[in-house]
Amino acid sequence: MKAIPFTDVTINDSFWAPRQATNSKKTIPHEIEQCRTTGRISNFSKAAGTMDGNFEGIFFNDSDVHKLVEAASYTLYTHPNPEWESQLDEVVDTIASSQQPDGYLNSYFTLVEPQKKWQNLGMMHELYCAGHLFEAGVAHYQATGKAKLLDVACKFADLIDNTFGHGKRDGLPGHQGIELALVKLANVTGEKRYMSLAEYFVTTRGQSPHVFEKELENPDLPGGLGAYQHHYTRDGKYEGTYSQAHKPIQEQTECVGHAVRAMYLYAGAADIAAETGDTDIMNALDALWQNVEKRLYVTGGVGPSGHNEGFTQDYELPNFSAYAETCASIGLIFWAHRMFLLKGEARFIDVMETALYNGALSGVSLDGTGFFYQNPLASRGGRHRHEWFGCACCPPNIARLLGSLGQYIYAQSDNDLWVNLYVEGTATTVAENVPLKLTQETDYPWSGNVKITVNPEKPTKFALNLRIPSWCSNYDVKLNGETYSVKDTTNGYLSIEREWKPNDSVNLNLDMPVERIYAHPNVRDNLGRSALQRGPLVYCFEDVDNADGAFETLSLNNDTMETVYDSNLLNGITTIRANAKVYDTAEWENNLYLTKPKSNQMQVTAIPYYAWCNRGAGQMAVWVF
Amino acid sequence: MKAIPFTDVTINDSFWAPRQATNSKKTIPHEIEQCRTTGRISNFSKAAGTMDGNFEGIFFNDSDVHKLVEAASYTLYTHPNPEWESQLDEVVDTIASSQQPDGYLNSYFTLVEPQKKWQNLGMMHELYCAGHLFEAGVAHYQATGKAKLLDVACKFADLIDNTFGHGKRDGLPGHQGIELALVKLANVTGEKRYMSLAEYFVTTRGQSPHVFEKELENPDLPGGLGAYQHHYTRDGKYEGTYSQAHKPIQEQTECVGHAVRAMYLYAGAADIAAETGDTDIMNALDALWQNVEKRLYVTGGVGPSGHNEGFTQDYELPNFSAYAETCASIGLIFWAHRMFLLKGEARFIDVMETALYNGALSGVSLDGTGFFYQNPLASRGGRHRHEWFGCACCPPNIARLLGSLGQYIYAQSDNDLWVNLYVEGTATTVAENVPLKLTQETDYPWSGNVKITVNPEKPTKFALNLRIPSWCSNYDVKLNGETYSVKDTTNGYLSIEREWKPNDSVNLNLDMPVERIYAHPNVRDNLGRSALQRGPLVYCFEDVDNADGAFETLSLNNDTMETVYDSNLLNGITTIRANAKVYDTAEWENNLYLTKPKSNQMQVTAIPYYAWCNRGAGQMAVWVF
């Protein structure tokens, strides 16, 4: 199974298309400007020797520029803009100019510790930065047809391949990402060596003593020992869970450590499993998926703890202190998408959709220039988006996700087509050697009505597999206007297999009631509480919509909730209006305990979680009583 | 207003009388044995030079023996036992033998740091131990008529009075207790100097630099600097809140620091206010009381934090981690009782009764030989009572409380009588020069029906004030069998003023329904939850009574709850039976979120909080949904 690439998909709905436009017009220019003013781009010029000065910022800052080139490439394809294209070419030239004769490319090491390359793989992000360079090279080539950065990437990949691997040096990235990047590089170049190197990096884990452990013996470690030991040792003893290096990938069954690292590793491992058919890796990924489903915020956030930016234990999902990094939700989308491609099951897309519409999308403001690094599920007013970060991984990550969104909507196997996400727009592909266009018309996620027009150039037989989302318990289907008798779904898909003729149409109507979601009783913060969800959207309450903001005591009535589309609110959203009891605060002034506390009935309004904090920082709660 | 002393009160009900009997037969002998085997008693012999060896245990261990002598004295009065009396006399002789020629008595300093007396008042508990000696001397004299220990106490008090005070040395106890002890000593001896010294200790606070701060400059401090600095400094700067030394008592409005220290101070301050009529201290006590009512567990526990064994902030009342030291609840009883004596208002007795029947009484097992130091309001099974502690303040404290319980039941002012607690038994006193006996017949706390017989030797006029507990919203009264038309209560008392004749009777029927108590919404742990209370008793759920122990998800139905007296359970208790929904655990095995989780109806049984953990350590919860 493979995704229909973003280059063959258009999006012109009322939900995502405006976000992509904002991504193109606001986010990418804003981020390029941030990369310029923070010295991220000039670091490459300095490394190239075309500019004087010292390295600025954090040692992994190159990766932000690479990720931004990737994002801008996607965006230039979907939203062509000659002015930005030439600016992007300039950035690409600047990056390329810093490549060393042997192919090495990392402005920090070139400028600051040139004699200490590859000596602190555990912490210094050289291979991570390389991975983002590879992804940028591939995206820039796919989007613009220009091979300059791809060539730079391959030259560096060759150096790395000559350096690391079986029979060469032991090594792997302390921060993953290069694995899935090498797979992309292999696929676009046809170069098998890159795939093998990706497999090597995925599978080089759990040795004793481990590469990272041996590095610790170096008293002259680049970057210093401090941060390293904090993450890799416990009680003075080496322990590789932070970067998932504690066990061979085939034996990993629990999501541990830094969440973004974990997501990138599992995504890369899924790529390798798809390529090699390695059942041990597949089984491990199944177990890891089962485990992540016990560690998943209802918004699709993962990694609750700020301490390790990562995982803790099953069901530990605090709301106020939720770390739930934007990058981790994006990484989960990468992993979930690959799990679907590997297994063809809709349950992975269910999680992907949740993360996409909620925990990842909340990472960027509606105006495109504010970013959440952490995505809490409750706030007393102290949280707000920032225009940039010292560690700026999230802003370009959400930009590349939005830019490449098209690739997550459709997939195809040898014979059949899959519709995973309901987004108005088109896809073009070839089924059974017949060129074909799919057209979706829908107001999703505000409505569950979807019309799909199937347009093969000539009649051709294949199965059209429509995902029935896990949140949907009732739906009906019409085929060319006639009621289509729905058979059971298989792996979460309604499959319509027939000879498709030009202009055949399918109308899928997904019931989209407001649901109250309850959490596992072991999720202590949510005991007695529920969250509201409608379709793929998780809702929240903000004080700006609800007079006294007493979310903590708000108790929703069980009567019917009303949905109201408000085109003027937050760029157009469907709100949920509900009746709720809220404590009468007056009588609590002088009472600590009461036997019959008075409550007032009030109407409360919930908005989609992704849209919170776009009207100033305020109180917010997803889970209410 | 003064309490009718324990010496004039008998208790022969089915609730407290058996606890007093167990206290006499089991607790006191058990604790004397513990004091013997841990070297606490022989420390005095060693200090007296009648035995060889080093000081054993913690530097304040003398206080445990003093407190036990106090407890045993009360108990010998209510439950005479010649064998124990001679054993107690032996202990008293041993303590007395360790008194130094100048009156000093402290086995730690005499044996370990004889040259460093009074140099570390902040931490080394010399004045605290002295206070407990004074209370023991007074109690032993009151109970047995023997003055030996009282004389020892006075001799030591004279030394302290000659050492500290205005125009003498600055000083005050780092751990309070001596203040209220000196008041007792003054009252029993008629010696005004002891009252003045108590007033001095209560009011010597808030100076800058403070005595404790100056002590810190001594590099050769007894006990060492370590523990001291931890408690008295923040960010390297002296700060006296731990022992309430940060401000003059007249300016204190917030309950801070170590909870037992705070309670003992406020109790002593109330004694001084009663004696001197100082309105500044009275106003401060009013403010402190208002504040403690925002920091009070529903069980009458105070001091939520183990870090400082004390107070944190308003409404911070976590359940699982509740420290709520037994001694702090007992200290609250001391303070509340004195606030009532000062102001004649039932609201203080309401809190006293809550602490007495719940958070203090839970401190001792039904068999009398197991003790809680901390009294959590929820447990996952890891909490249990201990037979003794290294720091053993709580076991003798609960023993002296139970032994002296009689004094909390009745009070009298110049003209009138007050009935504060409903306990079957008698009180003898004199009203308007007429000897009088009050008799209570009641099954309280299992029933709210109380019959009080008033037996003056001849007709005499006074007001009999019956406390209407704050938990009671409906009651009726009969006087000599006739309905008595109830006027409004004043300060929480129903006052019946008349000429009382021999054998007049009052029947008070207090409605005692099961109530669901809700906590202030700022008490985060209790949001959405309620606790069950009936009469003065707070209830809890234990897993031993409730098959699957799923307290965390238990959701009580709102229908009527049933009360069932079970004479075989936990020495006879009224249980509360309720219907509750409990999640069907099976469906949660593979689900983190569900829209319509199934619940099973089950009958659940609650028991009084004081009785928990008497059938093995298990799960427990006071607050349920």
Side-chain angles (χ1 to χ4, degrees):
Chain A
M1 180 110 53
K2 60 187 208 296
I4 296 184
F6 78 98
T7 46
D8 295 335
V9 173
T10 66
I11 293 174
N12 42 42
D13 69 337
S14 68
F15 188 87
W16 290 111
R19 301 303 294 256
Q20 286 200 318
T22 300
N23 195 43
S24 164
K25 282 186 212 139
K26 296 285 175 61
T27 307
I28 306 274
H30 169 81
E31 294 185 358
I32 289 183
E33 183 60 21
Q34 291 291 339
C35 281
R36 281 198 213 288
T37 57
T38 58
R40 279 170 169 79
I41 292 174
S42 51
N43 279 337
F44 291 106
S45 304
K46 294 169 187 169
T50 57
M51 182 176 168
D52 288 336
N54 295 326
F55 180 87
E56 285 183 77
I58 309 177
F59 57 84
F60 51 69
N61 274 3
D62 283 7
S63 63
D64 302 327
V65 182
H66 299 325
K67 224 186 297 180
L68 188 51
V69 168
E70 182 188 349
S73 299
Y74 299 138
T75 299
L76 277 177
Y77 185 87
T78 55
H79 297 71
N81 179 329
E83 186 196 335
W84 281 115
E85 182 162 0
S86 69
Q87 287 206 28
L88 183 61
D89 286 345
E90 250 178 64
V91 174
V92 165
D93 289 345
T94 306
I95 295 170
S97 70
S98 75
Q99 188 162 41
Q100 302 301 296
D102 63 355
Y104 188 85
L105 198 160
N106 182 301
S107 74
Y108 171 81
F109 276 94
T110 300
L111 286 165
V112 183
E113 305 195 82
Q115 305 309 318
K116 296 193 188 173
K117 297 184 186 88
W118 311 130
Q119 290 179 25
N120 189 350
L121 298 170
M123 195 48 64
M124 294 302 284
H125 291 51
E126 276 168 294
L127 292 169
Y128 167 81
C129 290
H132 279 301
L133 173 65
F134 302 168
E135 290 192 88
V138 169
H140 195 242
Y141 172 73
Q142 288 176 319
T144 66
K146 297 173 188 169
K148 179 165 188 174
L149 198 61
L150 183 64
D151 291 342
V152 168
C154 289
K155 192 171 172 190
F156 193 14
D158 293 339
L159 172 68
I160 294 170
D161 185 46
N162 289 332
T163 306
F164 297 102
H166 299 298
K168 293 169 269 186
R169 255 187 76 174
D170 281 339
L172 79 167
H175 193 311
Q176 296 89 328
I178 194 171
E179 303 84 348
L180 64 85
L182 282 163
V183 171
K184 288 184 178 183
L185 206 57
N187 288 336
V188 82
T189 62
E191 183 57 75
K192 290 282 176 201
R193 283 184 303 124
Y194 301 149
M195 189 68 79
S196 302
L197 183 59
E199 184 182 5
Y200 168 77
F201 283 144
V202 164
T203 54
T204 301
R205 310 186 163 265
Q207 295 84 343
S208 181
H210 193 271
V211 176
F212 300 156
E213 194 175 5
K214 284 187 271 188
E215 286 177 346
L216 281 171
E217 294 164 12
N218 176 2
D220 195 29
L221 205 61
L225 270 164
Y228 202 111
Q229 289 185 319
H230 169 65
H231 287 116
Y232 282 102
T233 58
R234 185 171 297 184
D235 299 332
K237 208 166 166 303
Y238 169 81
E239 184 224 52
T241 53
Y242 179 69
S243 62
Q244 301 79 38
H246 59 305
K247 284 183 183 176
I249 183 69
Q250 298 86 342
E251 294 172 20
Q252 296 196 21
T253 57
E254 187 189 350
C255 298
V256 297
H258 187 273
V260 181
R261 285 165 162 85
M263 295 299 108
Y264 287 1
L265 169 64
Y266 308 153
D271 280 338
I272 295 305
E275 177 70 20
T276 65
D278 186 314
T279 52
D280 289 340
I281 295 180
M282 282 193 201
N283 292 340
L285 288 169
D286 282 338
L288 288 165
W289 189 266
Q290 259 195 311
N291 185 250
V292 87
E293 289 200 320
K294 292 180 175 156
R295 299 178 177 206
L296 185 65
Y297 283 101
V298 71
T299 53
V302 286
S305 168
H307 176 69
N308 63 346
E309 299 195 310
F311 290 101
T312 57
Q313 56 189 15
D314 291 353
Y315 307 116
E316 186 166 280
L317 296 164
N319 293 320
F320 282 97
S321 65
Y323 201 75
E325 186 181 334
T326 301
C327 285
S329 274
I330 294 170
L332 177 62
I333 289 168
F334 297 166
W335 181 28
H337 190 220
R338 285 162 173 82
M339 290 300 283
F340 158 76
L341 294 174
L342 193 57
K343 302 178 69 102
E345 296 173 31
R347 62 192 173 103
F348 301 108
I349 303 297
D350 289 330
V351 169
M352 184 185 90
E353 184 182 56
T354 295
L356 184 62
Y357 278 90
N358 302 286
L361 189 55
S362 60
V364 59
S365 62
L366 292 175
D367 71 5
T369 59
F371 307 96
F372 273 131
Y373 195 109
Q374 300 161 42
N375 294 275
L377 280 79
S379 170
R380 299 219 172 80
R383 303 300 194 93
H384 57 95
R385 291 190 183 82
H386 294 258
E387 65 170 14
W388 196 245
F389 304 97
C391 169
C393 49
C394 298
N397 221 350
I398 187 76
R400 69 171 174 156
L401 178 76
L402 287 171
S404 64
L405 188 65
Q407 69 182 312
Y408 299 104
I409 302 174
Y410 308 94
Q412 71 185 140
S413 59
D414 288 347
N415 300 317
D416 301 322
L417 289 179
W418 268 259
V419 184
N420 277 326
L421 300 180
Y422 298 109
V423 180
E424 184 155 307
T426 65
T428 52
T429 187
V430 173
E432 298 286 325
N433 296 317
V434 177
L436 173 107
K437 184 175 183 181
L438 286 180
T439 305
Q440 279 196 58
E441 294 162 83
T442 179
D443 267 337
Y444 198 93
W446 310 123
S447 137
N449 299 336
V450 184
K451 180 180 181 187
I452 297 170
T453 308
V454 183
N455 247 322
E457 281 192 359
K458 58 178 189 186
T460 180
K461 195 178 169 198
F462 61 88
L464 180 68
N465 296 297
L466 304 177
R467 173 174 156 262
I468 306 302
S470 61
W471 53 258
C472 178
S473 44
N474 286 299
Y475 58 93
D476 62 62
V477 186
K478 287 196 170 65
L479 180 60
N480 292 325
E482 306 281 315
T483 296
Y484 180 80
S485 172
V486 174
K487 288 175 293 183
D488 284 346
T489 58
T490 304
N491 289 332
Y493 291 90
L494 171 74
S495 186
I496 307 178
E497 187 167 9
R498 66 194 298 270
E499 190 180 67
W500 294 92
K501 303 187 184 63
N503 275 322
D504 275 351
S505 71
V506 178
N507 281 80
L508 174 65
N509 296 312
L510 302 165
D511 258 15
M512 199 180 262
V514 176
E515 298 275 14
R516 291 181 76 164
I517 309 279
Y518 297 82
H520 193 289
N522 288 357
V523 183
R524 300 188 50 71
D525 264 23
N526 297 343
L527 277 173
R529 298 175 189 253
S530 65
L532 298 183
Q533 182 168 345
R534 181 171 179 266
L537 295 175
V538 174
Y539 278 69
C540 69
F541 294 87
E542 278 197 298
D543 53 3
V544 64
D545 300 309
N546 298 287
D548 74 355
F551 305 130
E552 296 284 327
T553 73
L554 182 157
S555 175
L556 294 176
N557 295 11
N558 266 326
D559 52 11
T560 309
M561 300 193 192
E562 194 191 0
T563 55
V564 181
Y565 186 78
D566 185 341
S567 61
N568 293 316
L569 189 60
L570 295 163
N571 295 358
I573 57 166
T574 295
T575 61
I576 299 174
R577 309 269 168 91
N579 293 316
K581 284 190 307 186
V582 178
Y583 273 158
D584 187 328
T585 50
E587 66 176 350
W588 287 106
E589 261 172 48
N590 295 307
N591 286 297
L592 180 57
Y593 302 106
L594 288 170
T595 52
K596 290 173 185 68
K598 277 182 246 154
S599 291
N600 298 322
Q601 282 286 342
M602 63 183 281
Q603 197 188 52
V604 291
T605 299
I607 63 159
Y609 173 77
Y610 75 78
W612 89 277
C613 205
N614 277 288
R615 293 168 291 175
Q619 292 185 64
M620 182 275 289
V622 170
W623 292 92
V624 296
F625 285 104
Chain B
M1 179 109 53
K2 61 187 208 298
I4 296 184
F6 79 98
T7 45
D8 295 336
V9 173
T10 66
I11 294 173
N12 41 43
D13 70 336
S14 67
F15 188 87
W16 290 111
R19 301 305 293 256
Q20 286 200 319
T22 300
N23 195 43
S24 163
K25 282 185 212 140
K26 297 285 175 61
T27 307
I28 305 274
H30 169 81
E31 294 185 358
I32 289 183
E33 184 59 21
Q34 290 291 339
C35 281
R36 281 196 213 287
T37 57
T38 58
R40 279 170 168 81
I41 292 173
S42 51
N43 280 336
F44 292 105
S45 305
K46 293 170 188 170
T50 57
M51 183 176 168
D52 288 336
N54 295 326
F55 180 88
E56 286 182 77
I58 309 177
F59 57 85
F60 51 68
N61 274 3
D62 283 7
S63 63
D64 302 328
V65 181
H66 300 325
K67 224 186 295 180
L68 187 52
V69 168
E70 182 189 349
S73 299
Y74 299 138
T75 299
L76 277 178
Y77 185 86
T78 56
H79 296 72
N81 181 327
E83 186 196 335
W84 281 114
E85 182 162 359
S86 69
Q87 288 205 30
L88 184 60
D89 286 345
E90 250 178 65
V91 175
V92 165
D93 290 344
T94 307
I95 296 170
S97 70
S98 74
Q99 188 160 41
Q100 302 299 296
D102 64 354
Y104 188 84
L105 199 160
N106 182 302
S107 75
Y108 171 80
F109 276 94
T110 300
L111 286 166
V112 184
E113 306 193 82
Q115 305 309 318
K116 295 193 188 171
K117 296 184 188 85
W118 311 130
Q119 290 179 26
N120 190 349
L121 297 171
M123 194 49 64
M124 294 301 284
H125 291 52
E126 275 167 296
L127 293 170
Y128 167 82
C129 290
H132 279 301
L133 173 65
F134 303 168
E135 289 192 90
V138 170
H140 194 243
Y141 172 72
Q142 288 176 319
T144 66
K146 297 174 189 170
K148 180 165 189 175
L149 199 61
L150 182 64
D151 291 341
V152 168
C154 289
K155 193 173 173 188
F156 193 14
D158 292 340
L159 172 68
I160 294 169
D161 184 46
N162 289 331
T163 307
F164 297 102
H166 298 298
K168 292 170 266 185
R169 255 186 75 174
D170 281 340
L172 78 167
H175 193 310
Q176 295 90 327
I178 194 171
E179 302 85 348
L180 65 85
L182 282 164
V183 171
K184 288 184 179 183
L185 206 58
N187 288 336
V188 82
T189 62
E191 182 57 76
K192 290 280 174 201
R193 284 184 302 126
Y194 301 149
M195 189 68 79
S196 303
L197 183 59
E199 184 182 5
Y200 168 77
F201 283 144
V202 164
T203 54
T204 301
R205 311 186 161 264
Q207 295 84 343
S208 180
H210 193 269
V211 176
F212 300 156
E213 194 174 4
K214 285 187 271 187
E215 286 177 346
L216 281 171
E217 293 165 13
N218 176 3
D220 194 27
L221 203 62
L225 271 164
Y228 202 110
Q229 288 185 322
H230 168 65
H231 286 116
Y232 284 101
T233 59
R234 184 169 298 183
D235 301 331
K237 208 167 166 303
Y238 169 80
E239 184 222 53
T241 54
Y242 178 68
S243 62
Q244 301 79 38
H246 59 305
K247 283 183 183 176
I249 184 70
Q250 296 87 342
E251 294 172 20
Q252 296 196 21
T253 56
E254 187 188 351
C255 299
V256 296
H258 187 272
V260 181
R261 284 166 162 84
M263 294 299 108
Y264 287 2
L265 170 64
Y266 308 153
D271 280 338
I272 295 304
E275 177 70 19
T276 65
D278 186 314
T279 52
D280 290 339
I281 295 181
M282 282 193 202
N283 291 340
L285 287 169
D286 282 339
L288 288 164
W289 188 267
Q290 260 195 312
N291 185 249
V292 87
E293 288 200 320
K294 291 179 176 157
R295 300 178 176 206
L296 186 64
Y297 282 102
V298 72
T299 52
V302 285
S305 168
H307 176 68
N308 63 346
E309 301 195 308
F311 290 102
T312 56
Q313 55 190 15
D314 291 353
Y315 307 116
E316 186 166 279
L317 296 164
N319 292 321
F320 282 98
S321 65
Y323 200 75
E325 187 181 334
T326 301
C327 285
S329 276
I330 294 170
L332 178 61
I333 289 168
F334 296 167
W335 181 29
H337 190 220
R338 284 162 174 82
M339 290 299 283
F340 159 76
L341 294 174
L342 193 57
K343 302 178 68 102
E345 296 173 32
R347 62 192 174 104
F348 301 108
I349 303 298
D350 289 329
V351 169
M352 184 185 90
E353 184 183 55
T354 296
L356 184 62
Y357 279 90
N358 302 285
L361 189 55
S362 60
V364 58
S365 62
L366 293 176
D367 71 4
T369 59
F371 307 95
F372 272 132
Y373 195 109
Q374 301 162 41
N375 294 275
L377 278 78
S379 171
R380 298 218 173 80
R383 303 299 195 92
H384 57 95
R385 292 191 183 83
H386 294 260
E387 66 171 13
W388 196 245
F389 304 97
C391 169
C393 48
C394 298
N397 221 349
I398 188 76
R400 68 171 174 155
L401 177 75
L402 288 171
S404 64
L405 188 66
Q407 68 182 314
Y408 299 104
I409 303 175
Y410 307 94
Q412 71 185 137
S413 58
D414 289 346
N415 300 315
D416 301 323
L417 290 179
W418 269 259
V419 184
N420 276 327
L421 300 179
Y422 297 109
V423 180
E424 183 155 308
T426 64
T428 51
T429 186
V430 172
E432 297 286 325
N433 296 315
V434 177
L436 173 107
K437 184 175 183 181
L438 287 179
T439 305
Q440 280 196 57
E441 294 163 82
T442 180
D443 267 337
Y444 197 93
W446 311 123
S447 137
N449 299 337
V450 184
K451 181 181 178 186
I452 296 171
T453 307
V454 183
N455 245 324
E457 282 194 357
K458 59 179 187 184
T460 180
K461 195 177 172 198
F462 60 89
L464 180 69
N465 295 297
L466 303 177
R467 174 174 155 262
I468 306 301
S470 61
W471 54 257
C472 178
S473 44
N474 287 299
Y475 58 92
D476 62 63
V477 186
K478 285 196 172 64
L479 180 62
N480 293 324
E482 305 282 312
T483 296
Y484 179 80
S485 171
V486 173
K487 288 174 294 182
D488 284 348
T489 57
T490 304
N491 290 329
Y493 290 90
L494 171 73
S495 187
I496 307 178
E497 189 168 7
R498 66 193 301 268
E499 190 179 66
W500 293 92
K501 301 186 187 64
N503 275 320
D504 274 353
S505 70
V506 177
N507 280 79
L508 174 64
N509 296 311
L510 302 165
D511 258 14
M512 199 181 260
V514 176
E515 299 276 12
R516 291 181 76 165
I517 309 279
Y518 297 83
H520 193 289
N522 289 356
V523 183
R524 301 189 50 70
D525 265 24
N526 297 344
L527 277 173
R529 299 176 188 253
S530 65
L532 298 183
Q533 183 168 344
R534 180 170 178 266
L537 295 174
V538 173
Y539 278 69
C540 69
F541 294 87
E542 279 199 297
D543 54 3
V544 64
D545 300 309
N546 298 287
D548 74 355
F551 305 129
E552 296 285 327
T553 72
L554 182 157
S555 176
L556 294 175
N557 295 11
N558 267 327
D559 51 12
T560 310
M561 301 193 192
E562 193 190 359
T563 55
V564 181
Y565 186 78
D566 186 340
S567 61
N568 293 316
L569 188 60
L570 296 162
N571 295 357
I573 57 166
T574 295
T575 60
I576 298 174
R577 309 269 168 89
N579 293 315
K581 286 191 305 187
V582 178
Y583 273 158
D584 187 329
T585 51
E587 65 177 352
W588 287 105
E589 261 172 48
N590 295 308
N591 286 296
L592 180 56
Y593 302 107
L594 287 170
T595 52
K596 289 172 186 69
K598 277 182 243 152
S599 291
N600 297 322
Q601 281 287 341
M602 63 182 281
Q603 197 188 52
V604 291
T605 298
I607 63 159
Y609 174 76
Y610 76 78
W612 89 278
C613 204
N614 277 289
R615 293 168 291 174
Q619 293 185 64
M620 181 275 291
V622 169
W623 293 93
V624 296
F625 286 105

